[in-house]
Amino acid sequence: MSPRHFEGSLQQLPNLGPKSIQMLASAGIHSQDQLQRLGSVAAYVRVKKVAPAASLNLLWALEGALTGLRWQDVARDHRTSLLMALDASER
């Protein structure tokens, strides 16, 4: 999973709809560059702090937005590594 490099608005990224973008904005994440610097797991953790109802589908979508994969493929193929990274970040 190598990250793609980009600048600009979150609306240009795959997998992120208006609700996801709104949750990111409420967590202070407003650009592709910010999301890339944070990475999917740290961005998800920030969103969960302000929107506790955010589901793991958002994590899959964020990873997919950064890698160019469909969120469904991320959920199927990278679930374990992302959950382990999430667990490690919460310690």
Side-chain angles (χ1 to χ4, degrees):
M1 293 184 292
S2 62
R4 296 178 358 199
H5 295 280
F6 33 55
E7 298 174 6
S9 73
L10 295 168
Q11 288 85 356
Q12 298 170 337
L13 293 175
N15 300 311
L16 299 181
K19 186 174 179 181
S20 298
I21 291 169
Q22 183 179 26
M23 285 191 284
L24 288 166
S26 69
I29 304 166
H30 302 282
S31 71
Q32 293 178 10
D33 186 55
Q34 285 178 294
L35 179 58
Q36 184 179 11
R37 278 183 281 136
L38 283 168
S40 60
V41 172
Y44 177 75
V45 168
R46 283 180 69 172
V47 168
K48 284 292 280 185
K49 288 179 182 175
V50 297
S55 74
L56 285 171
N57 286 341
L58 178 62
L59 177 56
W60 317 146
L62 293 171
E63 182 66 20
L66 291 173
T67 61
L69 298 171
R70 294 179 16 187
W71 72 266
Q72 296 94 333
D73 296 336
V74 171
R76 182 186 66 234
D77 300 335
H78 304 286
R79 172 190 290 279
T80 301
S81 62
L82 287 169
L83 289 174
M84 289 174 62
L86 180 60
D87 184 56
S89 76
E90 293 174 339
R91 288 185 190 169

